[in-house]
């Protein structure tokens, strides 16, 4: 399930459950819709994401690419240990920044200190 | 135990649900459970997507042999020859953001997460074997 939250300076898409070959098409559609609205700062919140496979990695990379091509900012936040391991094993972590919280991710977009 | 999966993504999803419900699956470590589900998803979806040129129904054989915290897996299919040990070598550097190389990425993830990965081609069938969780038994 994906929830979209609009903050003052960014949009957060919170993914819960699994991002795999079954759920990736729905995720791709939701990401495309958010980008089509003109979002210029996007954070994927993975606090409730329990499983990620290469299909899910593809969704992340396509989101990152879409944002970059439009001059926008993109980051991932709250990825758990198993998810981070998939990022590292894939060697694709260099294509997106990953933060321990949404606040830190948002602060990275503006270069400010995260709110405390 | 042996499962036969048809070459459709819905069947793969059903296999995933059945395995996740098995008590033997729960006996694996968290890391091994993740690795098993990912390995099956990646390898079987690759067969479904890229293994056949026709629109016929094909059977993919899945054999699981659980031993406490470890599991041995055998996958067999009659699709085109595909050796994951030699294919998709470019994945780490290709990282094609259009997703064209993501099939190879799945294979790369599997190679990183399983042990004793072996492939052979026999009588027009691909036979892939690997283990998960055996290293931790030592």
């Amino acid at each position: 399930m994906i929830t979209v939250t609009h903050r003052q300076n960014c949009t957060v898409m919170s993914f819960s459950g699994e991002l795999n070959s079954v759920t990736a098409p729905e995720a791709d559609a939701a990401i495309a819709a958010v980008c089509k609205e003109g979002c210029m700062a996007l954070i994927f919140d993975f606090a409730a994401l329990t499983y990620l496979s290469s299909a899910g990695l593809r969704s992340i990379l396509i989101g990152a690419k879409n944002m970059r091509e439009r001059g926008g900012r993109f980051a991932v936040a709250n990825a758990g240990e198993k998810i981070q391991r998939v990022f590292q094993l894939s060697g694709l972590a260099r294509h997106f920044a990953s933060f321990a919280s949404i606040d830190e991710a948002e602060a990275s977009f503006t270069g400010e200190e995260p709110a405390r | 135990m042996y499962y036969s999966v048809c070459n459709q993504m819905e069947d793969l999803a059903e296999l995933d649900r059945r395995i996740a419900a098995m008590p033997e699956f729960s006996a694996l470590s968290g890391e091994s459970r993740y690795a098993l589900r990912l390995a099956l998803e990646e390898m079987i979806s690759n067969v479904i997507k890229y293994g056949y040129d026709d629109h016929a129904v094909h059977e993919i054989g899945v054999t699981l042999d659980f031993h406490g915290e470890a599991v041995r897996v055998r996958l067999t299919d009659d699709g085109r020859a595909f050796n994951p040990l030699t294919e998709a070598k470019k994945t780490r550097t290709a990282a094609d953001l259009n997703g064209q190389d993501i099939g190879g990425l799945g294979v790369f993830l599997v190679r990183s997460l399983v042990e004793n990965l072996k492939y052979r081609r026999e009588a027009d069938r691909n036979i892939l074997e690997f283990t998960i969780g055996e290293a931790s038994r030592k």
Side-chain angles (χ1 to χ4, degrees):
Chain A
M1 195 183 70
I2 301 165
T3 338
V4 181
T5 313
H6 295 283
R7 286 161 66 110
Q8 190 171 15
N9 296 313
C10 67
T11 300
V12 178
M13 294 185 72
S14 299
F15 295 77
S16 67
E18 310 197 333
L19 199 48
N20 58 16
S21 47
V22 172
T23 56
E26 179 202 336
D28 290 342
I31 295 164
V34 165
C35 290
K36 197 171 173 194
E37 285 167 7
C39 171
M40 293 303 285
L42 179 59
I43 296 171
F44 283 1
D45 170 23
F46 284 161
L49 189 70
T50 57
Y51 176 92
L52 179 76
S53 67
S54 68
L57 269 172
R58 179 180 170 277
S59 298
I60 298 171
L61 294 177
I62 287 176
K65 187 186 181 199
N66 189 322
M67 294 304 297
R68 185 167 57 249
E69 283 178 348
R70 293 185 300 109
R73 302 300 299 274
F74 175 83
V76 162
N78 297 317
E81 206 180 296
K82 291 192 177 73
I83 307 300
Q84 286 192 53
R85 185 156 180 244
V86 175
F87 292 164
Q88 283 151 19
L89 284 174
S90 70
L92 295 175
R94 68 181 186 278
H95 290 290
F96 54 85
S98 184
F99 295 91
S101 71
I102 292 172
D103 284 344
E104 286 178 40
E106 193 175 18
S108 78
F109 293 165
T110 57
E112 290 168 10
E113 287 294 310
R116 298 204 188 282
Chain B
M1 49 217 66
Y2 177 82
Y3 296 96
S4 176
V5 177
C6 288
N7 54 326
Q8 292 175 91
M9 294 305 284
E10 296 79 19
D11 270 45
L12 173 56
E14 175 61 23
L15 175 73
D16 182 56
R17 282 190 288 273
R18 290 176 73 180
I19 288 173
M22 294 170 60
E24 293 90 340
F25 178 78
S26 304
L28 302 176
S29 71
E31 249 184 50
S32 294
R33 292 198 297 272
Y34 196 112
L36 177 60
R37 292 185 65 214
L38 189 135
L40 292 175
E41 177 189 338
E42 301 293 359
M43 301 314 297
I44 296 174
S45 62
N46 273 359
V47 173
I48 293 171
K49 282 188 254 181
Y50 309 119
Y52 306 102
D53 291 321
D54 59 27
H55 297 287
V57 173
H58 293 268
E59 279 190 12
I60 299 163
V62 182
T63 308
L64 301 173
D65 198 6
F66 290 91
H67 296 275
E69 289 196 342
V71 58
R72 286 189 205 122
V73 182
R74 180 185 302 131
L75 298 177
T76 63
D77 68 84
D78 62 353
R80 69 168 68 95
F82 179 80
N83 181 352
L85 290 162
T86 55
E87 302 292 340
K89 280 180 290 195
K90 295 180 297 183
T91 306
R92 291 287 316 264
T93 52
D96 185 341
L97 294 190
N98 287 323
Q100 287 166 11
D101 215 22
I102 293 294
L105 174 61
V107 170
F108 179 78
L109 286 174
V110 173
R111 279 159 50 180
S112 306
L113 288 170
V114 309
E115 307 127 16
N116 305 310
L117 185 64
K118 292 187 191 112
Y119 168 86
R120 64 184 192 278
R121 180 89 178 161
E122 222 171 76
D124 289 337
R125 293 188 75 82
N126 294 306
I127 301 171
L128 185 70
E129 293 171 319
F130 54 87
T131 64
I132 291 168
E134 289 218 334
S136 61
R137 289 168 83 205
K138 297 199 176 95

